[in-house]
């Protein structure tokens, strides 16, 4: 009984200590969804739920029992793309811990997130659409450690719900995304984030180019992308058509990869190119998980929902040739170094 009382005291103290942070998040989300005319009242009220204030207790997943009963591990994730890719480090290590060389991965579609559309996410109000799942599944199923990839709105029976990390008391603007998932189990697992976890054959169509990524979200306002104009012939843009148009209007014209059929197409281009430069995004997560030469334009300060704010710094390149830049001068220097490295 004394142990239970002490645990309860620690939980209460932790909740009180984090209360201002939780209230700030709740009010920020509430402001976004109230201003967003396309959000339903159900979405508006969702941000007032108690877990936003004190966090939700998350029990360790019973991996050992699940493996013995089903002889496979089924991982389930609803997105976003970057979160899914970063989770593969954890998934691969946990499967290996239980002597499994392969696992099944389920992409859960149409899971809503309050305020997502107002932040300018391409999937609007959900983390993963059916088309988005199909786009990503084509690459995942070609990884030798994944037995099969499925997708749908349901959470499969006995699946390891990777989305549970969102309910833990973690400051998601800091740390490292790959690390978040390790809090879901009590097993000790290696964290070899410097190794590749996505593999693809090289496509040398852009072998003389550095691939540029510039999404609308998480673009550092103190890094002037126009400084890359002298290197425009060495760059090719990867991303959505609206992202490409926005970049060309704001900065300068450059070549565009265009529409591709699968994330694997991007992976092949990445593998055959000189390298990648870009801000935090699903495509940069792909480059990070492949460990190709890459430059992250860190998102310390951004414009979010037309408001100046600090951005997330939960992506830290490591392994192979990599840079993380926070100033225009360092970005230009890094580009020159990368061109020399892969000349």
């Amino acid at each position: 009984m004394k142990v239970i009382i002490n645990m309860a005291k620690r939980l209460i103290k932790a909740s009180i200590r984090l209360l201002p942070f939780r209230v700030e998040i709740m009010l920020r989300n509430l402001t976004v969804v109230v201003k967003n005319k396309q959000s339903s009242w159900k979405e508006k009220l969702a941000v007032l739920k108690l877990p936003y204030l004190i966090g939700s207790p998350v029990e360790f997943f019973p991996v050992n029992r699940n493996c013995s009963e089903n002889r496979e591990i089924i991982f389930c994730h609803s997105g976003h793309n970057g979160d899914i890719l970063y989770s593969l480090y954890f998934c691969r290590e946990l499967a290996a811990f239980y002597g499994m060389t392969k696992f099944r991965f389920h992409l859960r579609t149409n899971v809503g997130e309050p305020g997502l559309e107002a932040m300018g996410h391409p999937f609007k109000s959900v983390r993963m659409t059916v088309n988005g799942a199909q786009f990503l599944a084509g690459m995942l199923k070609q990884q030798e450690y994944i037995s099969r990839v499925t997708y749908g709105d349901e959470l499969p029976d006995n699946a390891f719900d990777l989305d549970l990390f969102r309910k833990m008391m973690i400051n998601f603007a800091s740390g490292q995304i790959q690390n978040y998932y390790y809090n879901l189990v009590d097993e000790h697992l290696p964290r070899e984030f410097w190794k590749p976890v996505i593999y693809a054959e090289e496509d040398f169509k852009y072998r003389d180019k550095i691939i540029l990524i510039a999404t609308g979200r998480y673009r550092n306002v103190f890094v002037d992308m126009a400084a890359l104009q002298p290197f425009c012939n060495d760059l090719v843009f990867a991303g959505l058509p609206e992202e490409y148009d926005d970049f060309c209007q704001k900065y300068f014209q450059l070549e565009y990869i265009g529409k591709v059929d699968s994330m694997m197409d991007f992976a092949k281009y990445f593998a055959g190119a000189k390298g990648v430069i870009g801000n935090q995004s699903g495509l940069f997560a792909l480059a990070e998980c492949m460990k190709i030469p890459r430059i992250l334009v860190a998102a310390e300060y951004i414009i979010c929902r037309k408001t100046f704010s600090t951005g997330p710094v939960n992506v830290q390149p490591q392994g192979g040739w990599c840079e993380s830049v926070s100033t225009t001068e360092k970005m230009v220097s890094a580009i020159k170094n990368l061109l020399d490295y892969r000349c």
Side-chain angles (χ1 to χ4, degrees), residues 153-167:
D153 294 357
E154 75 286 351
L155 176 65
D157 293 338
N158 297 313
F160 190 124
D161 186 4
L162 294 167
D163 286 340
L164 290 175
F165 86 91
R166 301 180 188 279
K167 296 185 178 181

Side-chain angles (χ1 to χ4, degrees), residues 204-212 231-237 254-255 269-270 272-276 338-339 342:
F204 293 107
K205 182 176 181 180
Y206 301 106
R207 65 185 309 160
D208 297 324
K209 302 285 187 177
I210 295 175
I211 298 175
L212 172 66
F231 309 97
C232 62
N233 293 328
D234 298 306
L235 299 172
V236 59
F237 193 94
L254 74 165
E255 188 179 352
Y269 291 149
F270 283 15
K274 285 188 175 182
V276 169
L338 179 53
L339 288 171
R342 297 298 291 269

Side-chain angles (χ1 to χ4, degrees), residues 99-137:
M100 299 180 181
T101 58
K102 296 178 180 290
F103 55 82
R104 173 185 164 192
F105 205 96
H106 182 79
L107 300 169
R108 194 176 184 188
T109 54
N110 297 315
V111 175
E113 181 175 324
L116 187 61
E117 184 172 5
M119 293 179 66
H121 194 275
F123 289 157
K124 305 301 181 183
S125 59
V126 298
R127 296 180 191 141
M128 175 68 66
T129 63
V130 172
N131 288 339
Q134 293 172 341
F135 185 80
L136 185 59

